[in-house]
């Protein structure tokens, strides 16, 4: 590898020490397809002399093989590592590359330009301090240019270079450059981008990359490398912000030491400083700042440390330690921007895991206020979000969290959503502000609790959740079970799917979104009835495992019994007591479970009823026996 610094050859130890002290800039390249992003990164690697001889030989051979740049080196091949990218000449995945100069270290993410890879672009931009937006001088500002600009503004990238590339193909005309600057500046005002630097260049020829180009004597601004080496990195800016440290680990190596480990998200901390732990609100002072190399007198944003406190207070993983002058806020309901990143759509009311820092809580999207058309910036009505969609949504969490608005602090204001059943990351989001209702509504303490109510009835409160296809026999068996329990002197209530849709849920249809909301409402009602000490029987198709799991988690362990009425589709369709299957087969009934809407079979139901071999009375006997084993029915 060519020498980046003469110190490598003369004093390697001194070089390594100087390298450790260099600041690190993370940036992305983005823009429309074939604007030259990968070529630019390849040029930066080449010019910074970060390529080994065998890499140069390989890229020269590949350039001849693919023939995209004639006899010259195709720098894009250094980055486009996927075979599909080489065949199509486009970037699909996010490719990360490291390089350095004498002044700074860099990590660059080459992000895809196609609309269907919006999630990939967002992933690459989530940790970036700066962005290079590529614009083809021949084409000017395109739809994808606007789309990526909006995403940069959304994610909060504060330093933007508009690299007007391929100036060699327009004869280096100043008029072309000025026209694009004028067009883009007008658009940037609309989306709130203001810290913009325009640089005319040719990534292929090397104009204005490292040194000012003699081909454009009319340009007197900075080179691209000069810009990247001198802009302020985000860690430096965050040192001036209020102190925040999300707790990643409670460090207890022995009985005499209890520390709280994490990476400082913002601010500066010193021993003796007063801090507040959120969301509990408890306060103390810093006793020590502990590291592997010894105690520190001061720690700043970006450092990984362990804090000890002067007082013994309860702190858990996911809590946030803040400065008392400007502590993190706490809330359990928010307005947020949500970027959907999964093939399965986001459905309001469906439970997800929300992870913010090292804290994980249960969350639901309560409302999609609108979806943003990224191409036109238009606000569009939406009931759900599909892959790569961006929406402004209200969120509800099962407990308060500590947070800052994303515009103030990415680490304490950005989150991801995780599918509870598969553990796949399905969305990424930015918190805007807490909803007023989250600050004004509190749980009211009552003296007569669930146990007292159930004891007065001589039973244990519980939910018997019947699930199965339409026509499986759920309502018939549930009705017979309630008659049996009533005869035994038990206090019950039966929530039947059809009956509930005549009142509480009569505003809901049968789309996936409405089915999720249907079960969410029923689950909350069943929870209230359990709190009243009742044995609640529900008979709903409830086709999705995630919603049945949500209902289970609303009550305590042992209070939820899933009863799977397992009837094959062919048998249920033959029965067809309401004629619904016939309508569905004729196309008169859309989104019918088992025909054109999926039914997800329970994987571990407490009770399974095979209605092809069991009578109604035998099924009831089986359920009653299960209730006795679960101590729901106490003699």
């Amino acid at each position: 590898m060519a020498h980046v610094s003469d110190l490598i050859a003369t004093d390697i130890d001194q070089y390594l020490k100087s390298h450790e002290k260099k600041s690190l800039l993370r940036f992305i390249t983005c823009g429309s397809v074939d604007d030259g992003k990968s070529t630019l990164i390849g040029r930066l690697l080449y010019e910074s002399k970060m390529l080994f001889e065998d890499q140069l030989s390989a890229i020269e051979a590949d350039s001849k093989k693919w023939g995209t740049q004639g006899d010259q080196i195709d720098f894009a091949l250094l980055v486009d590592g996927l075979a599909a990218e080489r065949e199509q000449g486009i970037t699909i995945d996010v490719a990360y590359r490291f390089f350095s100069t004498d002044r700074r270290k860099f990590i660059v993410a080459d992000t895809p330009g196609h609309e269907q890879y919006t999630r990939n672009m967002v992933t690459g931009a989530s940790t970036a301090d700066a962005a290079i937006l590529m614009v083809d001088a021949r084409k000017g500002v395109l739809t994808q240019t606007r789309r990526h600009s909006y995403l940069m503004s959304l994610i909060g990238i504060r330093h933007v270079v508009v690299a007007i590339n391929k100036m060699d193909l327009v004869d280096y005309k100043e008029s072309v450059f000025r026209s694009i600057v004028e067009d883009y500046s007008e658009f940037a005002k609309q989306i709130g981008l203001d810290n913009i630097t325009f640089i005319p260049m040719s990534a292929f020829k090397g104009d204005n990359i490292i040194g000012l180009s003699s081909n454009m004597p009319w340009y007197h601004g900075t080179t691209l490398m000069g810009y990247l080496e001198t802009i302020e990195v985000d860690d430096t800016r965050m040192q001036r912000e209020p102190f925040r440290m999300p707790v990643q680990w409670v460090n207890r190596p022995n009985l005499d030491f209890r520390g709280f480990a994490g990476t400082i998200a913002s601010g500066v901390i010193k021993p003796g400083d007063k801090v507040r732990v959120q969301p509990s609100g408890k306060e103390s002072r810093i006793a020590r700042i502990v590291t592997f190399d010894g105690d520190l007198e001061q720690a700043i944003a970006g450092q990984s440390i362990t804090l000890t406190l002067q007082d013994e207070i309860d702190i858990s993983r996911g809590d946030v330690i803040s400065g008392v002058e400007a502590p993190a806020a706490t809330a359990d309901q928010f307005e947020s921007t949500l970027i959907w990143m999964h093939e399965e759509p986001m459905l309001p009311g469906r439970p997800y895991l929300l992870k913010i820092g090292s804290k994980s809580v249960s969350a639901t999207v309560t409302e999609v206020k609108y979806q943003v058309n990224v191409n036109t910036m238009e606000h569009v009505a939406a009931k759900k979000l599909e892959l790569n969609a961006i929406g402004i949504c209200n969120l509800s969490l099962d407990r308060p969290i500590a947070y800052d608005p994303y515009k103030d602090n990415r680490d304490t204001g950005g989150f991801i959503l995780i599918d509870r059943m598969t553990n796949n990351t399905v969305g990424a989001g930015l918190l805007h502000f807490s909803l007023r209702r989250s600050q004004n509504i509190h749980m009211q303490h009552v003296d007569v609790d669930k146990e007292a109510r159930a004891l007065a009835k001589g039973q244990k409160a519980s939910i018997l959740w019947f699930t199965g296809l339409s026509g499986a026999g759920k309502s018939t068996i549930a009705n017979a079970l309630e008659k049996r329990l009533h005869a035994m002197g038990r206090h019950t209530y039966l929530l039947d799917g059809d009956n509930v849709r005549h009142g509480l849920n009569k505003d809901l249809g049968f789309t996936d979104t409405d089915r999720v909301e249907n079960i969410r409402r029923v689950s909350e009602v069943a929870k209230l009835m359990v709190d009243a000490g009742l044995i609640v029987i529900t008979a709903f198709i409830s086709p999705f495992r995630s919603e049945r799991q949500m209902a289970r988690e609303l009550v305590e362990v042992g209070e939820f019994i899933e009863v799977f009425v397992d009837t094959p589709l062919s048998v249920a369709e033959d029965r067809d007591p309401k004629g619904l299957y016939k309508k569905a087969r004729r196309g008169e009934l859309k989104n019918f479970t088992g025909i054109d809407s999926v039914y997800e079979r329970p994987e571990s139901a407490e009770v399974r009823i095979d209605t092809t071999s069991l009578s109604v009375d035998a099924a009831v006997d089986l359920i009653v026996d299960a209730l006795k084993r679960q101590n729901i029915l106490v003699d």
Side-chain angles (χ1 to χ4, degrees), residues 126-192:
S126 61
T127 58
D129 303 307
I132 300 175
L133 178 65
M134 306 294 290
V135 176
D136 190 326
R138 301 168 301 170
K139 302 174 183 177
V141 177
L142 302 176
T143 297
Q144 284 175 292
T145 311
R146 293 185 175 91
R147 179 188 308 120
H148 283 181
S149 298
Y150 171 74
L151 292 172
M152 289 188 303
S153 172
L154 179 70
I155 294 168
I157 295 178
R158 290 174 169 81
H159 304 285
V160 178
V161 175
V162 177
I164 302 175
N165 192 32
K166 303 186 181 183
M167 289 295 294
D168 55 310
L169 300 182
V170 294
D171 299 324
Y172 300 105
K173 291 180 180 177
E174 181 180 6
S175 59
V176 174
F177 172 72
R178 299 298 177 194
S179 176
I180 294 174
V181 169
E182 184 178 345
D183 287 349
Y184 187 84
S185 297
E186 186 66 29
F187 170 72
K189 291 177 183 177
Q190 301 174 23
I191 60 174

Side-chain angles (χ1 to χ4, degrees), residues 394-412:
N394 287 348
L395 290 174
S396 178
L397 314 184
D398 66 342
R399 72 198 75 168
I401 60 169
Y403 81 100
D404 291 292
Y406 182 85
K407 64 181 179 62
D408 297 332
N409 194 317
R410 290 191 193 183
D411 290 326
T412 54

Side-chain angles (χ1 to χ4, degrees), residues 212-257:
L212 287 173
S213 171
S214 60
N215 294 314
M216 290 176 278
W218 44 266
Y219 175 71
H220 305 289
T222 181
T223 63
L224 178 62
M225 186 61 78
Y227 176 87
L228 294 175
E229 285 186 326
T230 55
I231 61 171
E232 183 183 50
V233 297
D234 204 45
D235 281 350
T236 303
R237 181 186 66 83
M238 293 308 294
Q239 291 173 21
R240 301 191 292 269
E241 298 298 320
F243 177 74
R244 301 284 186 272
M245 193 190 84
V247 176
Q248 297 172 343
W249 178 45
V250 179
N251 187 356
R252 290 295 303 271
N254 55 59
L255 294 176
D256 300 320
F257 185 90

